[in-house]
Amino acid sequence: MEPHIVDDLSAFKLAFRRHAAGVAVVTGRTPDGTPVGFTVTSLASLAAVPPLATFNMARISTAWPAVEGTTHVLIHLLGARNRALADRLSGPHDERFAGDHWAPGPLDLPLLKDVPAWMIGRIVERLPVADNAVVVVQVEDGGLGPEDAALLYHERAYLIPGSPVPD
């Protein structure tokens, strides 16, 4: 039986669980240099000229002070082989950077290893919305890693896309 939607919060949660999204990780540093990072499914391109992207985050997140107090972040696009990395960067804060899955990258920002693509984003806007924020970045540089199948988040699980849908 399908869940019966009884309020706005239920409608929101149930509908967005059925909306597949790509998986990315945003990394930065706190003012004292501590690396921070978090998994996002809200990454979106905003414009090609100039190259702008957005992501959303809760302002109660432990990573918010770093995003609020810095000028640049690194955005990593994850592929199928990075599923464990997505889990790690959404897990306990003190374990996110334990290990050799990252190294200091451009601007000394944490650069995750073996990702399909990464971009340096200069933060141009932080738009508060309720207890959250829309963060707008201008992409200044980036790099490509090995090709990989896409990693999607759908119905509260990570998935790899199957065959294309026929016309």
Side-chain angles (χ1 to χ4, degrees):
M1 175 178 217
E2 292 295 316
H4 178 68
I5 297 175
V6 295
D7 59 37
D8 56 348
L9 183 57
S10 294
F12 178 86
K13 286 182 175 182
L14 293 171
F16 270 98
R17 284 181 190 153
R18 293 187 174 176
H19 179 71
V23 183
V25 167
V26 176
T27 61
R29 290 203 184 261
T30 63
D32 72 358
T34 303
V36 298
F38 50 97
T39 303
V40 299
T41 57
S42 62
L43 180 66
S45 63
L46 181 61
V49 179
L52 298 173
T54 66
F55 61 89
N56 308 328
M57 67 181 300
R59 290 187 293 147
I60 60 169
S61 164
T62 57
W64 174 248
V67 172
E68 184 179 39
T70 192
T71 58
H72 289 81
V73 293
L74 270 179
I75 299 168
H76 307 79
L77 306 180
L78 303 190
R81 71 176 166 272
N82 303 127
R83 187 203 185 290
L85 194 56
D87 283 336
R88 176 184 290 266
L89 273 290
S90 62
H93 312 291
D94 57 343
E95 296 174 17
R96 292 180 183 181
F97 290 93
D100 65 351
H101 59 283
W102 71 283
L107 305 176
D108 200 35
L109 294 168
L111 178 61
L112 302 177
K113 297 178 180 178
D114 198 34
V115 296
W118 57 269
M119 300 173 284
I120 300 172
R122 180 176 49 83
I123 298 174
V124 296
E125 277 297 331
R126 295 172 194 84
L127 305 165
V129 181
D131 291 333
N132 305 292
V134 176
V135 181
V136 181
V137 299
Q138 182 166 344
V139 174
E140 295 184 335
D141 199 358
L144 295 177
E147 287 189 36
D148 196 5
L151 180 64
L152 299 178
Y153 192 71
H154 181 256
E155 290 283 356
R156 301 171 76 180
Y158 292 110
L159 303 171
I160 300 167
S163 300
V165 177
D167 292 336

